[in-house]
Structure formats: C-alpha cells, structure tokens
C-alpha cells in the first residue's frame, strides 16, 4: 500500500535497523546490523516513563492524544543517547489495541478483483469509516474446495489490518521531533512474530503481556493468523495484590516482581495472581479452540513476551494449567554479541521482543 508517509502495516521489507517500541509505560530501542543469518546486536536501551507506577490505576498509552508528541520524542532521544544508538533510520511499533485485525475468507479471484473486494468487505467489519484508517492486507493462505463444508469454491485467507489515521500521524510527528528517519510503521504483532515465531516454527500462541493489556496471537509457520487484545496486563496483577494483601501499589509491584506465584497458591499474593491469570488462560483456550475448530490445527506451544511474563512462577503455572509447552521469549537467539551479555539478554529478552522484531525488519 502506497501512502504519503512511511507505512507498512504487515511486515514487508524495509531499510531501517533501529527498532523503537513505544509502550504504555516505557520506550525500548534495539539497534541491529548485518543481514539475515548474520545479525549483530549493536546496542539496546529501555526507559520508564516518569511516575510510571502512578499509571497502574490510570493506565495511559504513550501514543494517546493526551500525551504530548514532544514528551514521547524526548524519551526516545534520551534513551537513544544513553544507549549510544548510531543509526537514524528506524521502524516503530503500533500498539495492537490501536489497530483492528480480521481474517477474511474470500473466493479466489484475480489481483484486480481482489484489490476491490478487500476494501468492500473491510467496510462491513471495521468499526470506523474506511476513510479514517490506513488499510493493509495480505493473502496468508488458501482453503481448497474439498476442505470446505459447502464445497463451493477455493478461497483465499486474507488478513486485513486497519489503523486510524490519527494514530499514524502521531507517530510521524513523534519521529520527526525525536530526530529519527521513520522508514516503517508496523503493528507490534508482526514484530513479535518475526522475532519469536519465524517460518518453520509451527503453530504458536504468542502472548505479549503489557502493562495495560495482553495481545494473544496465533502464528502459523511465521504468519500471523489471528490476534486479539485481552484487557488484562501487569497493572491488573499489581492491583490484585494490593487489594488482597492491603499494601501500597509500590509494595505490590515489588511483590509481583520478586515473589510472583510462589509458595501456596491458596494464600495471599499467589491466590490473587492465579485468579487474574485464570481469566487470561480462558482467553488462551478460546483463541486456540476457535482456530482448531475453523482450520483443524492445534497450537503446539505458548511463548510469553513482555516484562510481566518474567514474573516468578508464571511460565510454570501456564504450562501446568494448559498442558502445553510454555517458554519465555528470547529474541536474541543466533545473534552475535559479547559473551558476557548472555545472562543479561536472557533476562531482558521478553521485554525487548517487539523492538528486536522491528529492527530485524530493517535487515530483510
């Protein structure tokens, strides 16, 4: 899709090698060099928003209209300076809850007809006028007539993504104010898939547990097949501890990070956390069951990204409850970097998955 500003919502080739992930409570950057198969990690950095703990009760996305462009740009300049980022060309992530996903089944047709059919169908399901969004789409698979219940005709599986123009315009303003050249904008789900579930990875459920919400996506053989937002994030877990134990938000945050789900799950913080996570696991089950019912494919494993995913006991709890293999995200696999950084990169990997996927896009 050609537009006046640099936009490619569905992971096409780019030229940047700095990934900038603007989250609810922080900004993360990753700089990579080289080429696919021979990637070097140059630097990385992470900066929390001022008074981020105060946002646990009133989460405010940094790309919200209520946050000044210059404030976000200032955070980007600050962390790029501290991390000694050299590159000026960058890709930036669009939060999944600022976008709209749908997987359409469209009868097979020629390119020209398809280019007309997709926007027409999008008008029926995108909740805002098409004129107010940037629309991108990609054929992600096919269904043969023999596999369809009605046996009508072969169909394309077309993934569409729509992002409000006001969101895109805000990112463009932020990048200019930060002094970086914005090559690409990409919905963060595609960045995660590139970093954590590339082609050949099978069918994977990716869960990115952010401060405000969790994105739950099904990735098949490196391709995003579905994505949804669950209104549960690290902030809700912190509030659950505060409510159950009767301590401050600051103390609850420390308990979450240091203790997590340890000891008896029937008492104190662990009980509060498992209650909240039970709702999230219900969304996991719904996503995987719907996908299996529709396409006949089971999810083979679960990968957890986001800082909250590192909460003690969370991986084990999810594996136990779902009966599936569950692992923490590690986007730096097969990269070149000083050996001494290994333990640190394993520790921060879940938090830097989106930024790494964005930087990888620039090396394709």
């Amino acid at each position: 899709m050609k537009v006046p500003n640099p936009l490619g919502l569905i992971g096409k080739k780019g030229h940047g090698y700095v990934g900038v992930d603007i989250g609810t409570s922080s900004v993360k950057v990753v700089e990579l060099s080289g080429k696919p198969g021979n990637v070097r990690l140059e630097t990385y950095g992470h900066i929390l928003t001022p008074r981020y703990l105060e946002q646990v009760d009133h989460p405010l996305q940094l790309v919200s209209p209520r946050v000044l462009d210059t404030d976000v740009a200032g955070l980007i300049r600050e962390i790029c300076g501290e991390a000694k980022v050299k590159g000026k060309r960058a890709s930036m992530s669009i939060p999944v809850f600022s976008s709209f996903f749908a997987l359409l089944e469209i009868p097979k047709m020629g390119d020209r007809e398809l280019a007309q059919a997709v926007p027409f169908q999008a008008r029926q399901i995108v909740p805002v006028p098409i004129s107010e969004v940037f629309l991108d789409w990609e054929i992600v698979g096919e269904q043969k007539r023999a596999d369809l219940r009605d046996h009508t005709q072969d169909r394309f599986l077309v993934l569409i993504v729509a992002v409000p123009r006001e969101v895109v315009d805000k990112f463009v303003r932020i990048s200019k104010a930060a002094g970086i050249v914005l090559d690409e904008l990409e919905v963060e789900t595609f960045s995660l898939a590139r970093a954590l579930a590339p082609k050949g990875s099978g069918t994977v459920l990716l869960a990115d547990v952010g401060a405000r919400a969790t994105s739950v996506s099904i990735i098949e053989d490196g391709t995003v097949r579905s994505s949804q937002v669950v209104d549960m994030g690290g902030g809700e877990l912190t509030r659950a501890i505060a409510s159950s134990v009767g301590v401050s938000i600051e103390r609850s945050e420390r308990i979450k990070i240091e203790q997590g789900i340890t000891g008896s799950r029937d008492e104190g913080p662990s009980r509060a956390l498992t209650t909240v996570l039970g709702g999230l696991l219900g969304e996991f089950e719904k996503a995987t069951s719907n996908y299996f019912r529709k396409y006949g494919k089971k999810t083979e494993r679960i990968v957890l990204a986001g800082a909250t995913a590192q909460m003690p006991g969370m991986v084990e709890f999810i594996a136990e409850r779902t009966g599936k293999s569950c692992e923490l995200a590690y986007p730096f696999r097969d990269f070149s970097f000083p050996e001494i950084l290994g333990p640190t990169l394993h520790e921060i990997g879940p938090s830097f998955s989106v930024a790494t996927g964005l930087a990888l896009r620039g090396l394709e």
Side-chain angles (χ1 to χ4, degrees):
M1 179 179 61
K2 302 297 184 182
V3 294
N5 51 347
L7 177 68
L9 302 176
I10 301 182
K12 301 180 180 69
K13 292 186 178 181
H15 303 288
Y17 60 91
V18 179
V20 182
D21 175 20
I22 303 175
T24 302
S25 59
S26 67
V27 174
K28 304 176 188 71
V29 297
V30 169
E31 182 176 2
L32 302 177
S33 64
K35 57 184 179 180
N38 186 23
V39 178
R40 176 178 176 80
L41 174 64
E42 297 292 344
T43 188
Y44 61 90
H46 174 209
I47 185 170
L48 290 168
T49 60
R51 303 176 309 204
Y52 79 99
L53 280 177
E54 296 178 14
Q55 297 179 25
V56 169
D57 287 315
H58 304 284
L60 181 62
Q61 172 66 28
L62 283 177
V63 294
S64 163
R66 290 185 288 162
V67 179
L68 294 176
D69 301 344
T70 51
D71 290 344
V72 182
L75 290 172
I76 295 173
R77 287 196 304 271
E78 183 176 349
I79 191 55
C80 285
E82 290 182 3
K84 295 181 172 57
V85 172
K86 297 178 181 179
K88 290 296 183 182
R89 310 193 73 87
S91 295
M92 299 174 74
S93 62
I94 295 176
V96 68
F97 53 76
S98 293
S99 62
F100 178 83
F101 281 79
L103 188 62
L104 305 178
E105 296 180 7
I106 298 178
K108 290 191 71 172
M109 59 185 71
D111 292 345
R112 181 176 297 180
E113 292 83 1
L114 192 62
Q116 295 175 339
V118 171
F120 177 79
Q121 293 227 17
R123 289 187 180 92
Q124 316 304 314
I125 55 178
V126 174
V128 296
I130 292 296
S131 61
E132 296 178 11
V133 302
F134 281 112
L135 180 69
D136 205 357
W137 56 274
E138 182 177 55
I139 298 173
V140 298
E142 295 183 18
Q143 282 190 304
K144 298 297 183 182
R145 180 172 55 185
D147 298 328
L148 298 171
R149 291 181 179 177
D150 54 15
H151 297 284
T152 50
Q153 66 182 98
D154 295 351
R155 296 176 186 172
F156 285 134
L157 295 178
V158 180
L159 183 69
I160 67 168
V161 181
V163 175
R165 289 178 178 270
E166 63 179 358
V167 173
V168 172
D169 292 342
K170 186 175 181 70
F171 273 101
V172 173
R173 294 194 302 268
I174 289 171
S175 65
K176 288 181 178 179
I180 61 177
V181 178
L182 181 59
D183 279 347
E184 311 279 354
L185 285 174
E186 180 173 70
V187 177
E188 58 191 11
T189 303
F190 297 95
S191 309
L192 285 168
R194 184 181 299 107
L196 304 175
K199 189 174 179 63
S201 298
T203 305
V204 181
L205 184 147
L206 287 184
D208 186 17
V209 190
R212 169 181 169 179
T214 298
S215 67
V216 180
S217 307
I218 302 294
I219 316 298
E220 184 180 329
D221 198 27
T223 300
V224 177
R225 301 300 291 265
S226 71
S227 187
Q228 66 187 77
V229 178
V230 179
D231 192 20
M232 193 292 291
E236 184 171 346
L237 293 172
T238 301
R239 291 192 298 272
I241 294 173
S243 177
S244 67
V245 183
V247 295
S248 68
I249 288 294
E250 289 79 5
R251 175 58 181 156
S252 298
E253 183 76 1
R254 288 199 299 274
I255 291 173
K256 181 182 73 176
I257 294 172
E258 296 171 4
Q259 299 181 24
I261 308 172
T262 55
S264 173
R265 294 179 182 172
D266 296 324
E267 299 178 358
S270 290
R271 182 176 182 179
L273 292 171
T274 55
T275 298
V276 175
L277 288 175
L280 180 61
L281 293 184
E283 297 298 328
F284 285 10
E285 174 62 26
K286 187 185 303 182
T288 56
S289 295
N290 288 343
Y291 195 74
F292 177 74
R293 183 168 57 252
K294 199 160 190 179
Y295 303 109
K297 295 187 178 180
K298 292 185 177 181
T299 303
E300 298 163 9
R301 60 194 175 96
I302 298 171
V303 179
L304 300 180
T308 301
Q310 297 169 277
M311 183 177 70
M314 185 166 177
V315 168
E316 294 79 5
F317 174 76
I318 291 176
E320 176 187 314
R321 289 294 179 90
T322 63
K324 297 181 184 296
S325 170
C326 183
E327 63 192 66
L328 282 176
Y330 183 60
F332 305 111
R333 187 172 285 107
D334 299 325
F335 287 7
S336 172
F337 51 79
E339 186 176 350
I340 195 173
L341 287 179
T344 299
L345 294 179
H346 273 280
E347 182 177 342
I348 68 172
S351 299
F352 279 80
S353 298
V354 171
T356 302
L358 288 165
L360 280 171
R361 173 174 177 157
L363 302 182
E364 292 178 339

